[in-house]
């Protein structure tokens, strides 16, 4: 049984700048590069690079950028047999990365907008055989709900990374989510609670549990990640301090690594420690997919 990741694929166009530009400001960049990206693809690649059997369901345009994406997935041993290739442009992300590692991102969805409920349902047989389902919010909301319903139908653990937080999440959806993995900003937007420390993180997590989510893993950057489960005391898993070059894709690496570890039978706490380590390595490199580590690197850091 494989991990099935459903989500976006895009080409990241990255400009390294001294600081993030303010509205109306032009900043002269030090370097420019392109890299494979898109939250769905990033998370699938992260899990596959760590040794997972991963199938990606995505909508990728019939253009040069799309062809390059498919070639990259195959090199990372992703199953690409069920990716749809509609006519038109593939997704693109425009990314500024500041010297302190912070980033600012604008996404043009392109063919990702065509990842429809009908496409999800046409791959029901693939989804029904998954050991874990992992999705994000860079594809149509009705498709996310279709995934959740299939996960519930076949009793498959469904991990939802609510990023980017641009869409409202209904209680109907949240009640079908096994694990929700917001970061501080996303948790604030979902609950109205400003998450600045462990106490506020616990408060936000409890609010999400009350809305029907089974488990919340709230990522807190260098502070680590908070695990909150119904009926259990919350627990903070410490992060790993590193010098960040680019935080782009760190959350995606975390989610891919988390699901990979869970699929191998690890406890939730061990899976989060593993994911923290993978994400820590990723921020020391430039780009989303290029920064995802392999299993030996993560084991070395943990060891």
């Amino acid at each position: 049984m494989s991990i099935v990741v459903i989500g976006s694929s895009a080409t990241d166009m990255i400009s390294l700048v001294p600081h993030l530009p303010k509205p109306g400001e032009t900043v002269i960049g030090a370097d420019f590069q392109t890299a494979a990206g898109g939250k769905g693809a990033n998370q699938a690649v992260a899990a596959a690079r760590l040794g997972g059997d991963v199938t990606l369901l995505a909508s990728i345009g019939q253009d040069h950028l799309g062809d390059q994406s498919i070639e990259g997935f195959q090199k990372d041993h992703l199953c690409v047999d069920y990716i749809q290739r509609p006519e038109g442009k593939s997704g693109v992300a425009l990314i500024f990365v500041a010297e302190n590692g912070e980033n600012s991102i604008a996404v043009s969805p392109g063919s990702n907008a065509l990842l429809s409920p009908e496409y999800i349902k046409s791959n029901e047989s693939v989804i029904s055989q998954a050991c874990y389902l992992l999705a994000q919010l860079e594809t149509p909301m009705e498709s996310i709900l279709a995934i959740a319903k299939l996960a519930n139908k076949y009793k498959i653990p469904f991990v939802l990374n609510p990023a980017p937080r641009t869409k409202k999440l209904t209680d109907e959806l949240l009640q079908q989510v096994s694990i929700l993995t917001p970061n501080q900003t996303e948790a604030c937007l979902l609950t109205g609670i400003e998450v600045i420390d462990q106490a506020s993180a616990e408060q936000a997590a409890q609010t999400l549990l009350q809305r029907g989510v089974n488990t919340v893993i709230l990522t807190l950057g260098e502070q680590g990640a908070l695990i909150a489960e119904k009926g259990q005391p919350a627990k903070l898993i410490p992060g790993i301090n590193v010098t960040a070059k680019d935080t782009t894709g760190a959350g995606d690496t975390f989610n891919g690594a988390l699901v990979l570890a869970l699929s191998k039978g690890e406890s939730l706490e061990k899976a989060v420690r593993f994911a923290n380590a993978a994400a820590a390595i990723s921020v020391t490199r430039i780009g989303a997919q290029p920064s995802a580590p392999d299993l030996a690197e993560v084991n070395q850091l943990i060891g």
Side-chain angles (χ1 to χ4, degrees):
M1 298 175 70
S2 68
I3 297 166
V4 175
V5 181
I6 308 100
S8 59
S9 175
T11 298
D12 293 344
M13 299 185 177
I14 307 164
S15 180
L16 305 182
V17 293
H19 63 270
L20 299 182
K22 298 176 181 178
E25 180 184 12
T26 298
V27 176
I28 305 301
D31 190 19
F32 173 81
Q33 57 187 270
T34 61
K39 286 190 169 297
N42 294 345
Q43 294 178 14
V45 166
R49 201 169 288 171
L50 291 165
D53 177 7
V54 184
T55 296
L56 176 63
L57 298 183
S59 181
I60 298 176
Q62 295 183 34
D63 56 7
H64 177 62
L65 295 178
D67 293 341
Q68 286 183 326
S69 295
I70 296 292
E71 291 173 7
F73 300 153
Q74 292 171 330
K75 290 179 181 178
D76 277 307
H77 306 291
L78 274 176
C79 176
V80 298
D81 297 346
Y82 307 98
I83 292 175
Q84 70 174 3
R85 300 294 305 276
E87 294 183 2
K89 297 180 179 179
S90 298
V92 173
L94 307 177
I95 303 174
F96 293 116
V97 179
E99 290 178 351
N100 64 359
E102 293 184 342
N103 63 57
S104 178
I105 306 174
V107 175
S108 295
S111 57
N112 291 300
L114 302 178
L115 199 157
S116 64
E118 291 71 27
Y119 167 68
I120 297 299
K121 292 173 184 175
S122 71
N123 287 289
E124 182 171 346
S125 61
V126 179
I127 292 171
S128 69
Q129 297 301 311
C131 60
Y132 271 86
L133 295 175
L134 173 60
Q136 324 74 32
L137 299 182
E138 284 185 335
T139 50
M141 202 65 229
E142 57 269 25
S143 300
I144 305 299
L145 184 57
I147 297 162
K149 289 180 176 178
L150 286 178
N152 186 58
K153 177 180 178 180
Y154 292 104
K155 302 188 186 312
I156 302 168
F158 175 39
V159 180
L160 179 62
N161 176 221
R165 176 59 182 94
T166 56
K167 304 170 184 176
K168 182 178 179 180
L169 302 187
T170 65
D171 288 350
E172 179 189 11
L173 173 60
L174 291 175
Q175 288 165 9
Q176 298 179 79
V177 173
S178 305
I179 302 175
L180 190 73
T181 60
N183 63 18
Q184 290 165 270
T185 300
E186 293 149 5
C188 178
L189 291 169
L190 285 167
T191 66
I193 298 169
E194 185 178 5
V195 178
I196 56 175
D197 54 19
Q198 183 174 348
S200 55
E202 290 185 14
Q203 185 181 2
Q206 284 300 320
T207 299
L208 292 167
L209 292 177
Q210 289 168 7
R211 292 185 61 189
V213 180
N214 286 329
T215 300
V216 175
I217 300 175
L218 203 165
T219 57
L220 300 166
E222 291 183 355
Q223 296 179 65
L226 182 86
I227 300 174
E229 300 177 85
K230 289 182 177 179
Q232 300 291 331
K235 185 168 187 178
L236 180 66
I237 307 300
I240 299 173
N241 291 325
V242 294
T243 300
K245 289 185 178 179
D246 178 13
T247 58
T248 307
D252 296 333
T253 297
F254 179 94
N255 279 274
L258 174 74
V259 172
L260 179 280
L262 291 172
S263 75
K264 298 296 184 181
E266 296 289 0
S267 68
L268 194 58
E269 182 175 331
K270 286 186 177 180
V272 171
R273 292 186 188 280
F274 181 83
N276 275 346
I281 294 171
S282 76
V283 302
T284 65
R285 303 166 178 170
I286 301 295
Q289 286 175 38
S291 70
D294 60 30
L295 183 59
E297 292 175 305
V298 178
N299 284 339
Q300 182 179 13
L301 181 59
I302 292 175

